[in-house]
Amino acid sequence: MKIVPVGNKVVVKRMEAEEKSAGGILLPDSAREKPQQGRVLSTGDGLLLPTGVRVPVQVHEGDKVLFASWSGTEIKIGDQDFLILKEDDVLAIVD
């Protein structure tokens, strides 16, 4: 199933959380921090300005992005978790 966001929204698959701490201790699920980076799966058409001009989104499918920890809306489809963000919530594109 493909999720097609509207406007200036992007769908992101969050990266997996680290299973070990820096010291090598295995972390239980409850102690793992949610990663603040993910891969863009799909993008909307862009922001529609009051003048009727549409500004395309700057990120593209496949881009690895950074975002704030509490930004976006988490959704679950089947057994997979996704995040829908406004383009403004994307902080950076990572190479």
Side-chain angles (χ1 to χ4, degrees):
M1 171 185 288
K2 182 170 174 120
I3 304 168
V4 181
V6 296
N8 66 337
K9 309 284 190 302
V10 296
V11 176
V12 173
K13 176 72 173 160
R14 194 185 295 261
M15 297 292 183
E16 295 295 322
E18 293 293 325
E19 294 183 12
K20 290 184 181 180
S21 70
I25 299 172
L26 289 176
L27 299 171
D29 289 340
S30 60
R32 294 181 191 168
E33 291 186 28
K34 291 183 179 181
Q36 296 175 336
Q37 57 183 317
R39 184 80 53 194
V40 175
L41 299 179
S42 59
T43 63
D45 294 335
L47 181 64
L48 184 62
L49 299 176
T51 59
V53 175
R54 189 168 297 275
V55 179
V57 293
Q58 293 179 333
V59 296
H60 304 289
E61 291 181 19
D63 284 349
K64 186 176 177 182
V65 294
L66 298 176
F67 48 87
S69 53
W70 299 107
S71 59
T73 302
E74 293 183 355
I75 61 169
K76 185 173 188 107
I77 297 179
D79 61 344
Q80 295 193 354
D81 294 321
F82 301 98
L83 192 60
I84 299 179
L85 301 168
K86 292 180 187 175
E87 184 186 20
D88 293 343
D89 292 336
V90 175
L91 303 175
I93 298 172
V94 181
D95 284 336

